[in-house]
Amino acid sequence: MLKRGSTIGVFGGGQLGRMMAAAAAPLGYRCIGYAPEGDNVAALLCSDFVTAEWDDEAALADFASRCDVVTWEFENVPVATARAIPQGGIFPPPAALETAQDRLNEKRFVEVLGGRTAPYVPVDSRADLDAALDTIGLPAILKTRRDGYDGKGQWRIHSADDAAIDLPAAPTILEGFVTFEAEFSIVLVRGQDGEMRVWDSTRNIHEDGVLSASQFPAGPQIEAQVDEARALAKKVAQKLGYVGVLTLEFFATDDGPVFNEMAPRVHNSGHWTIEGAATSQFENHIRAVAGLPLGNTRTVAKAVEMRNILGSDIESAHALLDDGDTHLHDYGKSDIREGRKMGHVTRLARR
């Protein structure tokens, strides 16, 4: 258990790191961030921030020496960087990054644990793509195996004309389309002692590949599939020896929950927990990596909606505060781009 005044290092400088730092302070901890040059908004709330490349051995060694434990706020931290931190000094374990960073490995990992996935075929060449389309059929979606988020690194293929694309240099995977009624997430936290707690699931609404809103209650179809999805998420956490917040995304289908992807970190679909749950995903992540008892994850409102604020809409976001029990989170990003997550707003209907 980390003593009062300890330092938690955070790989990454985005809004998730910012919200981790905000959650750590009331528990008596300080955060130091580490990331390459960029719009590192976490620096505004961290006690200090190291701007250096992921492979800067001297900077990493100095950073590690200043931290009592290290975590991360996004899943594209290089595995080698995470492994540079001595074992037992970083949570979640780097194996979680290694699994989640490759979509092919991720799906195979989940299948071994009994999870249901979309049909998929690895693609490394034009011949592979042609054969994969024969196997999967249309429509399908081609994705880079690594990197890519919020709809990036993805190509929807509805016809032979759509398949006439320039393949990226990186390995890809072709997935069959899943017919689904809704999307939802399982957001859980696992402590160092193996205890696991799970938040209520929301209905996740996406627009152009980006999460637009998360709504609770999620509706009867999702509610009927949550237990099966939770069971799989717990198997994943157990197998990885996970510590911290872990998120698995699912499609709710007529055949039950279909696994989409996992995020070994706090997650956009869990932002509603800041005001909507007894303990937020950010506080419980800090509790887990610090070795503290986990907090209660019960929902404290009868209805919750979280909506992302994209691009220039952040300029008028304060007007949203006129609407009842509403909470605004401006991430403080200076680089405003259309489609970029600039903040979120959460509305609650109290019990």
Side-chain angles (χ1 to χ4, degrees), residues 141-154:
I141 182 166
L142 185 71
K143 300 179 180 180
T144 54
R145 280 174 53 176
R146 291 183 173 273
D147 301 322
Y149 59 93
D150 289 344
K152 300 177 178 68
Q154 301 183 11

Side-chain angles (χ1 to χ4, degrees), residues 134-215:
D134 287 340
T135 300
I136 298 293
L138 296 175
I141 182 166
L142 185 71
K143 300 179 180 180
T144 54
R145 280 174 53 176
R146 291 183 173 273
D147 301 322
Y149 59 93
D150 289 344
K152 300 177 178 68
Q154 301 183 11
W155 298 266
R156 284 173 166 74
I157 301 176
H158 294 277
S159 66
D161 289 341
D162 292 337
I165 61 174
D166 292 328
L167 290 176
T172 58
I173 182 172
L174 186 75
E175 299 179 12
F177 265 47
V178 176
T179 301
F180 62 92
E181 294 298 321
E183 297 177 75
F184 68 101
S185 299
I186 300 297
V187 184
L188 66 78
V189 61
R190 185 175 186 270
Q192 293 183 31
D193 61 357
E195 179 186 3
M196 285 188 260
R197 298 193 177 188
V198 186
W199 285 269
D200 283 324
S201 288
T202 56
R203 176 182 292 263
N204 296 333
I205 300 170
H206 290 81
E207 296 179 7
D208 298 323
V210 180
L211 182 67
S212 172
S214 294
Q215 299 170 337

Side-chain angles (χ1 to χ4, degrees), residues 11 27 63 127 154 184 222 267 274 297 345-346:
F11 282 137
L27 295 174
F63 173 74
Q154 301 183 11
F184 68 101
I222 290 174
H267 196 259
I274 298 174
T297 55
V345 62
T346 303

Side-chain angles (χ1 to χ4, degrees), residues 83-298:
R83 293 200 186 281
I85 306 299
Q87 187 174 4
I90 183 167
F91 299 110
L97 282 178
E98 202 164 26
T99 301
Q101 284 180 355
D102 186 313
R103 287 187 170 91
L104 178 61
N105 292 344
E106 178 184 64
K107 289 183 185 298
R108 288 173 172 169
F109 178 82
V110 166
E111 280 185 324
V112 168
L113 296 176
R116 184 187 297 107
T117 73
Y120 64 90
V121 177
V123 172
D124 295 311
S125 67
R126 169 59 57 180
D128 285 348
L129 178 58
D130 292 341
L133 286 169
D134 287 340
T135 300
I136 298 293
L138 296 175
I141 182 166
L142 185 71
K143 300 179 180 180
T144 54
R145 280 174 53 176
R146 291 183 173 273
D147 301 322
Y149 59 93
D150 289 344
K152 300 177 178 68
Q154 301 183 11
W155 298 266
R156 284 173 166 74
I157 301 176
H158 294 277
S159 66
D161 289 341
D162 292 337
I165 61 174
D166 292 328
L167 290 176
T172 58
I173 182 172
L174 186 75
E175 299 179 12
F177 265 47
V178 176
T179 301
F180 62 92
E181 294 298 321
E183 297 177 75
F184 68 101
S185 299
I186 300 297
V187 184
L188 66 78
V189 61
R190 185 175 186 270
Q192 293 183 31
D193 61 357
E195 179 186 3
M196 285 188 260
R197 298 193 177 188
V198 186
W199 285 269
D200 283 324
S201 288
T202 56
R203 176 182 292 263
N204 296 333
I205 300 170
H206 290 81
E207 296 179 7
D208 298 323
V210 180
L211 182 67
S212 172
S214 294
Q215 299 170 337
F216 173 85
Q221 184 171 30
I222 290 174
E223 290 165 3
Q225 299 186 19
V226 161
D227 286 348
E228 183 179 344
R230 283 184 175 182
L232 176 62
K234 289 179 179 180
K235 286 181 182 179
V236 170
Q238 187 69 30
K239 184 70 173 178
L240 291 171
Y242 201 88
V243 173
V245 169
L246 171 69
T247 306
L248 271 68
E249 298 181 50
F250 292 89
F251 301 113
T253 77
D254 290 342
D255 297 322
V258 172
F259 169 80
N260 181 27
E261 61 186 23
M262 62 181 276
R265 56 170 171 81
V266 290
H267 196 259
N268 193 178
S269 65
H271 286 359
W272 67 272
T273 64
I274 298 174
E275 291 86 20
T279 311
S280 77
Q281 64 167 346
F282 299 100
E283 180 177 337
N284 257 341
H285 185 79
I286 295 298
R287 288 191 186 207
V289 303
L292 299 177
L294 300 180
N296 194 306
T297 55
R298 66 180 175 84

Side-chain angles (χ1 to χ4, degrees), residues 16-135:
L16 303 181
R18 175 188 173 103
M19 288 183 272
M20 280 185 196
L27 295 174
Y29 301 129
R30 62 195 295 265
C31 287
I32 299 177
Y34 183 109
E37 187 74 36
D39 196 358
N40 290 318
V41 295
L44 300 174
L45 271 69
C46 287
S47 298
D48 196 4
F49 199 91
V50 178
T51 303
E53 296 301 317
W54 295 122
D55 59 356
D56 188 327
E57 294 182 4
L60 282 170
D62 180 66
F63 173 74
S65 72
R66 298 168 61 192
C67 301
D68 296 288
V69 70
V70 176
T71 188
W72 60 75
E73 61 103 38
F74 83 124
E75 67 267 47
N76 289 329
V77 174
V79 174
T81 300
R83 293 200 186 281
I85 306 299
Q87 187 174 4
I90 183 167
F91 299 110
L97 282 178
E98 202 164 26
T99 301
Q101 284 180 355
D102 186 313
R103 287 187 170 91
L104 178 61
N105 292 344
E106 178 184 64
K107 289 183 185 298
R108 288 173 172 169
F109 178 82
V110 166
E111 280 185 324
V112 168
L113 296 176
R116 184 187 297 107
T117 73
Y120 64 90
V121 177
V123 172
D124 295 311
S125 67
R126 169 59 57 180
D128 285 348
L129 178 58
D130 292 341
L133 286 169
D134 287 340
T135 300

